[in-house]
Amino acid sequence: MILLDALDLVRPALGLLFWTTLIFLLLWVLLGKFAFRPIANALRDREKGIDDALRSAEDARKEIANLKADNDKILAEAREERARIIKESEQMGQKIIEEAKEKAKEEARKVRENATADISNQKLAAIMQVKNMIGGSTVELAEKVLRRELSDAKSQEAFVEQEMQRIKLT
Amino acid sequence: MQPKTKHSVVTRNWLYNCTKTITLFVFALMMSTTMICAQDHKGHNHDNHAGHDHSGHGHDHSGHGHDHSGHSHGGHAKDSHAAAKKAGGHAGHDHGSHGHDDHGHGDHDPNKNFNVNEMIMHHIMDSHEFHIAGDFSIPLPVILYVPGEGLKTFLSSKFEHGHKEVDGFAMHHGKVVSTKGYESADLLNLIGGSDKKLYYDFSITKNVFTMMLGALIMFIIFMLVAGAYKRRVGQAPKGLQSVMEPLFVFIQDEVAKPNIPHKWQKYLPFLMTLFFFILICNLLGLIPFFPGSGNVSGNIAFTFVLALIASLVVNFSANKHFWAHTLWMPGVPTAIKPVLGIIEFIGVIIIKPASLMIRLFANISGGHIIILSLVSLIFIFGKMGQSIPGVAVGSIVSTVFVLFMNCIELFVAFLQAFIFTVLTALYIGQAVEEPEHH
């Protein structure tokens, strides 16, 4: 009987063949359609979603890095600009001061020159006036002296003295 | 003498235990051989003793004495149908029927000696009732088709555990047999033919029941998981979903994609069904009580169908390139080509699916045999309940080894499901491979 059993062990029974085929095919069709395919698709979609999310996160990170770099660049440029402007204005100021100084000096020089010229003109005019006056007075004195026939030298000298006293240099 | 033989069988089982994964099929063959030899041996003993037994029945009290002494000799259970018949024949009495009766009761006789072989075979084989404990069994539907007599459907409880005959059929060791000498149709006599009249047994047996249960569990699990994926689009898996996802992704990424590079999506449902169906049947078989314990994936019919379907899928998806390579191998001398073609053809058509079939069958059956053998240690050490210290030692030893074996079997359950699937995927991959451009 055990011999028969051992043989039975490797005898595929019809009922089991039938049921196994039926159950397996049913599972294959039903689970394939309603479970395995949807699960595989869901997994694929999720994987794709995660991939996309990671990629976009990476992109965003890069973008932020770029933005920061840009900002830094702009900031540096601004700083440079500021430094340059300051430097330029300093130079400009210096220059303006220099120019002003220069101008002032020039002005002063001109004023001085004008003044000098004025002075010398005035001086010349004065001298001319003095000359003219002295000339006139001298002529007048000489006339007076000539008119009075001065007897002695003493009275002549006193007269000149007296006349000299009269001449007022106005 | 008799117990010694049994003891050596079990010791041998235990020794094989260590190298199990490598020598499983050899082991299964050796187990059957040992059982057959042991049975032969026993049969002879029965020839001698059974004669006494039967004559004893005739002589009332003295007969009982004989009977009992027979028991105390130990080890020769009056279990064997063939042996009993043989004995009847030898003794020359018309006690053949007695033999039958003895046998019928034998199953439930508490005094009867424990027979390891019978117990193991009983658990390995399919049955028309689901044995729970002691005398209690769950009846299962019997569906028989007898040509000329029509369809017969009834619950197996109608047989009253082999005591009653129903409509030309009786239950014998949990199996339905014809009392009219008809033969149950199976693959061998359907193909090979039989001189007896065949009847077709489509009963929901223990294995069919377990398989249906497994399929139902699998269906529920995956419908829930698929629902979870639909509900929680783009979210992390949760609960049952996160239990199944690693397995699913493993089969998808490690089995389907590498073996079938381009067309894996087409074969994914098939490979998934294959893997999870085998796995759940393997795991159900490891549960030692109802609704488990059915040796579904260790049944040759089950593995036959799976291997056949796998083979059909492979052969129907095979492209021209594959067949050209198989039948007319390029790069070898023309004289060898036809020979090689035949060998390759046989390999593709028969050997590959047969190896799939036998591997799963032998591994799972072998595992069941080992665990049951180890459980039997309790009875053998305890000399069938006569030695209490023996029972204690046997229990401890048996528990340790069975625990160990169950861990291995748990691994084997996954491993064999995986191997079956990965080899199927490999064969499909070979069959659909596009020609390389050199």
Side-chain angles (χ1 to χ4, degrees), chain A residues 86-103:
Chain A
I86 288 171
K87 207 177 156 198
E88 261 174 22
S89 50
E90 262 173 8
Q91 279 172 352
M92 189 90 81
Q94 204 74 29
K95 207 175 152 196
I96 289 170
I97 290 169
E98 286 296 308
E99 272 173 8
K101 269 184 186 170
E102 212 48 48
K103 217 175 175 182

Side-chain angles (χ1 to χ4, degrees), chain A residues 1-21 23-25 27-44 46-47 50, chain B residues 35-36 39 124-125 185-188 190 200-204 208 211-212 215 218 222-223 226 229 235 237 245 248 265-266 268 270 272-274 277 299-302 304-306 309 313:
Chain A
M1 190 204 85
I2 296 288
L3 178 71
L4 282 176
D5 271 357
L7 263 179
D8 271 355
L9 201 59
V10 291
R11 276 179 99 103
L14 184 72
L16 210 52
L17 289 176
F18 168 75
W19 287 111
T20 310
T21 314
I23 291 169
F24 185 84
L25 293 180
L27 275 180
W28 183 5
V29 170
L30 290 179
L31 285 184
K33 190 169 184 333
F34 296 114
F36 295 135
R37 282 217 185 283
I39 290 174
N41 289 342
L43 278 175
R44 196 193 53 215
R46 202 181 66 194
E47 205 169 307
I50 290 170
Chain B
M35 280 186 281
I36 292 160
Q39 195 49 39
I124 293 293
M125 301 285 291
D186 59 35
L187 208 65
L188 298 185
L190 275 177
Y200 304 90
D201 185 352
F202 293 106
S203 306
I204 310 292
V208 175
M211 202 193 309
M212 284 174 166
M218 192 175 148
F222 278 104
M223 290 318 278
Y229 276 103
Q235 290 180 46
E245 191 177 300
F248 190 95
Q265 272 173 319
K266 190 178 162 193
L268 192 70
F270 174 61
M272 288 293 171
T273 316
L274 205 55
F277 193 39
N299 188 296
I300 196 93
F302 178 82
F304 176 87
V305 171
L306 295 191
I309 293 174
V313 169

Side-chain angles (χ1 to χ4, degrees), chain B residues 32 36 83 90 92 98 121 124 128 165 193 212 225 228 231 271 288 301 311 330 354 373 377 393 433:
Chain B
S32 0
I36 292 160
H90 257 269
H98 265 278
M121 288 316 274
I124 293 293
H128 279 79
E165 197 178 298
M212 284 174 166
V225 171
R231 252 197 339 275
L271 295 174
S311 156
S373 307
L377 278 179
V393 172
E433 193 184 9

